[in-house]
């Protein structure tokens, strides 16, 4: 008998004992057990079945085998009611049984607590539109940069459901961008308006007029036609009539984008997916698991490193080459480390004998140009112009006043500094392209226009100027000066090596202290 399960036997003097005076067989009395004894430990009565232990209810997860042998696990969960009052059952499919069990328990627990959020049913293209529309606190140029970064995502994964994205999709996106990401203008998106216009033109071998195309699409397609003509896909045999151009003799091989282009796309894509995870609309961010591609390192000993700045001798060659340029003052401002947006947004009324006040910037947003506030609080600064920059600005102002007088226009100190002869503002893309033309003419190493800012930071730090002063001059955090903008030149490395053990390389012994 189990411990604690002793039955209490009836006493001899009880009415139902075996020696009762009436001689009748006593009735059986049910045993009495302690209240704290579990039912599983109580002995069974004769002629009865022992109590069975209650099993846990099986989770309704079904195994599914596809025709190709792929095994998946599915389950359905009631997540609420539909507007018509019927049950809202959500079906989920997972590759492993462990993952299906984990998600089933998570969903049922959240439904019981009332905290479950149904997975979004929108596509990746629609998710990008919603995410971009909700980003109201960032600058327009930053929003445009995010929109450009998401273009490969829309092209490759735009029609796929956001909740169905996997790490494999992210890896395939990276592989496609590295091999075929730089598509030719002859190969636009199949669902774009340009492709639809080209298909309509292809159905009319004798040509179709602009009016017929406008009636076909219900809107003006002039920009699409102009792009098709520039790409060589469409020709115009006569006025306002377009026909499909013959295919090229040699097909253009697809080209891949560089890792430096792929990384921003993955970062922005991951930010977009993470926003839906934070809202509870997605269980996890699978794009964050995708490996970021790194820059290739060649084993060629003669391959020069990609420099991001110039040495002092190189920047002096550039400064000598811009002496005769009309916008020499603007190029000097770039050499002194000002951003392109700050140079193009500077106005004459913010310049006096003591300082050049940086208060605005002009940036490119698509095909437009916008003047807005500086990039950060540190960007608002007053820079005392050096003597050469002050003289160049004075000469440019005198020249612009003469140009205004020749055109019959009135002069105003609210005028931008970076303007053409006719008074139109200099566009950012033209300014960068003009820098490359001057650089190529002088035979200097190729660096981006931003490299002039890196050059200014690196040369100031190499001259021994404290890092907080260098950061204040350039309008950014001191950590940025050291980690991003600074660049070690060969002359600096040579000086560092010579300073360690002396110019003779340690041939002279060090003095040893007395014992």
């Amino acid at each position: 008998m189990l411990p604690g399960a002793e039955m209490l036997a009836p006493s001899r003097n009880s009415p139902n004992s075996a020696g009762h005076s009436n001689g009748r067989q006593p009735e059986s009395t049910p045993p009495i057990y302690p209240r704290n004894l579990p039912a599983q430990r109580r002995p069974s009565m004769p002629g009865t079945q022992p109590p069975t232990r209650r099993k846990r209810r099986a989770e309704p997860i079904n195994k599914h085998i596809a025709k190709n042998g792929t095994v998946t696990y599915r389950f359905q969960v009631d997540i609420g009611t539909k507007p018509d009052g019927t049950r809202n059952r959500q079906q989920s499919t997972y590759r492993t049984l462990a993952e299906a069990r984990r998600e089933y328990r998570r969903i049922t627990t959240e439904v019981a607590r009332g905290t479950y959020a149904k997975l979004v049913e929108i596509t990746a293209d629609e998710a990008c539109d919603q995410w971009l529309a909700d980003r109201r606190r960032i600058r327009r140029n930053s929003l445009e940069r995010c929109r450009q970064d998401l273009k490969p995502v829309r092209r490759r994964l735009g029609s796929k459901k956001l909740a169905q994205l996997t790490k494999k999709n992210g890896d395939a996106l990276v592989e496609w961008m590295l091999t075929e990401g730089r598509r030719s203008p002859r190969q636009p998106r199949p669902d774009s308006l340009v492709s639809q216009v080209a298909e309509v033109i292809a159905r009319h071998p004798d040509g179709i007029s602009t009016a017929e195309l406008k009636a076909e699409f219900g809107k003006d397609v002039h920009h699409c036609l102009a792009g098709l003509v520039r790409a060589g896909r469409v020709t115009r045999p006569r006025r306002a009539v377009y026909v499909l151009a013959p295919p090229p003799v040699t097909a253009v091989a697809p080209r891949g984008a560089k890792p430096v282009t792929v990384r921003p796309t993955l970062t922005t894509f991951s930010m977009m997916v993470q926003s839906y995870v934070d809202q509870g609309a997605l269980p996890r961010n699978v794009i964050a698991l995708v490996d970021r591609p790194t820059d290739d390192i060649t084993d060629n000993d003669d391959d020069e490193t990609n420099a991001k700045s110039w040495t002092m001798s190189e920047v002096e060659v550039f400064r000598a080459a811009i002496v005769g340029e009309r916008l020499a003052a603007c190029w000097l401002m770039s050499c002194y480390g000002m951003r392109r947006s700050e140079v193009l947004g500077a106005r004459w009324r913010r310049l006096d004998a003591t300082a050049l006040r940086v208060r605005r910037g002009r940036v490119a947003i698509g095909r437009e140009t916008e003047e807005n506030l500086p990039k950060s609080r540190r960007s608002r600064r007053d820079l005392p112009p050096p003597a050469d920059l002050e003289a160049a600005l004075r000469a440019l102002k005198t020249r612009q006043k003469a140009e205004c007088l020749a055109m019959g226009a009135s002069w105003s100190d609210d005028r931008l500094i970076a303007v053409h002869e006719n008074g139109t503002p200099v566009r950012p893309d033209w300014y960068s392209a003009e820098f490359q033309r001057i650089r190529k003419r002088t035979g200097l190493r190729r660096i981006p226009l931003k490299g002039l800012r890196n050059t200014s930071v690196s040369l100031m730090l190499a001259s021994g100027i404290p890092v907080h002063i260098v950061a204040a001059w350039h309008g950014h955090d001191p950590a940025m000066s050291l980690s991003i903008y600074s660049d070690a030149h060969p002359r600096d490395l040579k000086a560092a090596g010579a300073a360690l053990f002396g110019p003779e390389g340690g041939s002279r012994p060090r003095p040893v202290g007395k014992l």
Side-chain angles (χ1 to χ4, degrees):
M1 183 175 295
L2 296 175
E6 294 84 357
M7 292 186 300
L8 300 178
S11 61
R12 293 179 178 270
N13 300 325
S14 62
N16 296 331
S17 61
H20 196 268
S21 58
N22 56 14
R24 292 183 300 175
Q25 185 68 23
E27 297 179 0
S28 62
T29 304
I32 301 174
Y33 303 103
R35 293 184 177 182
N36 58 353
L37 184 66
Q40 292 85 348
R41 300 179 60 184
R42 298 177 182 178
S44 58
M45 297 297 293
T48 62
Q49 295 292 335
T52 58
R53 188 172 183 178
R54 185 177 180 181
K55 296 182 179 180
R56 183 176 179 177
R57 181 182 177 185
E59 295 169 335
I61 300 176
N62 301 322
K63 183 178 180 181
H64 176 74
I65 302 178
K67 293 182 178 179
N68 58 357
T70 304
V71 178
T72 56
Y73 297 88
R74 301 175 180 176
F75 62 83
Q76 286 186 339
V77 180
D78 291 339
I79 60 175
T81 57
K82 296 181 180 179
D84 57 358
T86 59
R87 292 189 304 172
N88 188 3
R89 296 179 62 84
Q90 175 179 294
Q91 180 174 337
S92 303
T93 304
Y94 296 93
R95 292 180 297 177
T96 62
L97 179 60
E99 186 178 9
R101 285 176 175 172
R102 182 173 62 252
E103 290 301 314
Y104 174 79
R105 295 168 186 174
R106 180 189 67 84
I107 294 174
T108 53
T109 302
E110 293 180 357
V111 170
R113 293 176 180 174
T115 60
Y116 176 72
K118 184 180 179 182
L119 299 182
V120 290
E121 298 294 337
I122 59 177
T123 62
D125 202 3
E126 296 171 344
C128 291
D129 290 335
Q130 293 184 10
W131 182 71
L132 292 171
D134 294 340
R135 305 206 71 193
R136 296 181 294 273
R137 298 180 60 183
I138 64 174
R139 294 149 52 98
R140 281 193 61 193
N141 58 330
S142 301
L143 184 63
E144 180 64 24
R145 187 161 52 248
C146 292
R147 185 176 287 109
Q148 295 296 329
D149 292 340
L150 290 175
K151 278 188 175 181
V153 178
R154 292 171 176 265
R155 180 179 297 175
R156 191 70 176 177
L157 304 173
S159 60
K160 192 174 184 61
K161 294 289 186 180
L162 184 64
Q164 297 176 357
L165 290 177
T166 60
K167 180 180 179 295
K168 186 177 181 180
N169 298 132
D171 293 332
L173 173 66
V174 173
E175 183 66 24
W176 173 78
M177 291 187 65
L178 292 174
T179 55
E180 305 179 21
R182 299 183 62 182
R183 302 195 61 167
S184 170
R186 297 174 180 268
Q187 300 173 347
R189 291 175 54 183
D191 56 344
S192 63
L193 181 61
V194 175
S195 297
Q196 296 176 12
V197 172
E199 291 178 0
V200 174
I201 296 177
R203 294 199 296 264
H204 298 78
D206 298 333
I208 183 172
S209 64
T210 307
E212 293 174 338
L213 287 172
K214 185 176 181 179
E216 176 76 18
F217 292 94
K219 56 184 176 180
D220 190 8
V221 292
H222 173 73
H223 293 291
C224 296
L225 293 173
L228 289 171
V229 171
R230 287 194 303 268
R233 299 182 61 192
V234 169
T235 59
R236 187 170 55 186
R238 54 187 183 274
R239 184 179 178 84
V241 175
Y242 297 88
V243 296
L244 199 66
V249 179
T250 58
V252 180
R255 297 179 299 169
K258 294 183 178 180
V260 70
T261 306
V262 180
R263 288 193 292 266
T265 295
L266 278 180
T267 300
T268 307
F269 190 19
S270 180
M271 290 170 56
M272 187 269 291
V273 176
Q274 184 62 39
S275 67
Y276 286 92
V277 175
D278 297 339
Q279 300 173 38
L282 290 177
R284 59 196 175 278
N285 185 359
V286 295
I287 305 302
L289 306 176
V290 180
D291 294 335
R292 270 55 177 168
T294 57
D295 298 323
D296 297 332
I297 301 177
T298 62
D299 55 356
N300 186 8
D301 296 339
D302 298 331
D303 188 15
E304 296 183 359
T305 57
N306 295 324
K308 57 183 180 181
S309 63
W310 281 336
T311 61
M312 178 62 78
S313 58
E314 289 174 321
V315 74
E316 287 297 340
V317 172
F318 180 80
R319 283 164 55 90
I322 62 176
V323 172
E325 295 291 330
R326 177 180 175 275
L327 298 178
C330 297
W331 300 121
L332 281 178
M333 286 192 287
S334 296
C335 289
Y336 278 107
M338 293 182 62
R339 299 180 178 92
R340 183 183 67 175
S341 60
E342 297 170 349
V343 174
L344 301 184
R347 295 184 181 271
W348 291 111
R349 63 182 175 87
R350 299 193 181 97
L351 172 67
D352 53 28
T354 59
L356 172 62
R357 293 182 295 275
V358 180
R359 296 294 185 271
R360 291 290 188 275
R362 290 182 64 247
V363 295
I365 303 176
R367 298 182 179 180
E368 302 177 357
T369 304
E370 182 185 70
E371 182 175 350
N372 50 28
L373 295 175
K375 190 174 183 180
S376 63
R377 291 181 180 271
R378 291 187 174 92
S379 300
R380 294 174 59 92
R381 60 199 189 277
D382 297 340
L383 301 178
D388 57 345
L389 178 57
E390 184 179 1
L393 287 170
R394 193 184 307 111
L396 179 59
K397 187 174 184 179
T398 303
R399 182 170 183 172
Q400 289 187 4
K401 286 184 177 180
E403 292 170 352
C404 286
L405 182 61
M407 292 186 301
S410 60
W411 172 262
S412 173
D413 282 343
D414 196 43
R415 182 188 180 98
L416 291 171
I417 295 178
V419 294
H420 294 287
E421 293 87 343
N422 57 1
T424 58
V426 173
R427 286 187 54 84
D429 52 354
W430 182 91
Y431 191 72
S432 298
E434 184 66 15
F435 166 74
Q436 294 298 337
R437 285 189 286 267
I438 299 175
R439 177 207 58 81
K440 187 176 181 180
R441 189 167 63 244
T442 56
L444 293 171
R445 289 182 301 160
R446 179 179 179 84
I447 62 171
L449 176 62
K450 186 182 178 181
L452 290 179
R453 182 173 171 86
N454 297 350
T455 302
S456 176
V457 174
S458 301
L459 294 180
M460 282 189 180
L461 292 175
S463 301
I465 302 176
V467 63
H468 68 281
I469 298 179
V470 176
W473 175 273
H474 294 89
H476 56 231
D477 188 82
M480 298 279 289
S481 299
L482 297 175
S483 61
I484 296 180
Y485 288 105
S486 62
D487 193 11
H489 297 144
R491 180 179 178 182
D492 302 328
L493 297 176
K494 183 178 180 180
L500 183 58
F501 299 110
E504 299 181 2
S507 60
R508 182 174 55 188
R510 289 185 174 183
V512 180
K514 295 182 180 181
L515 296 178

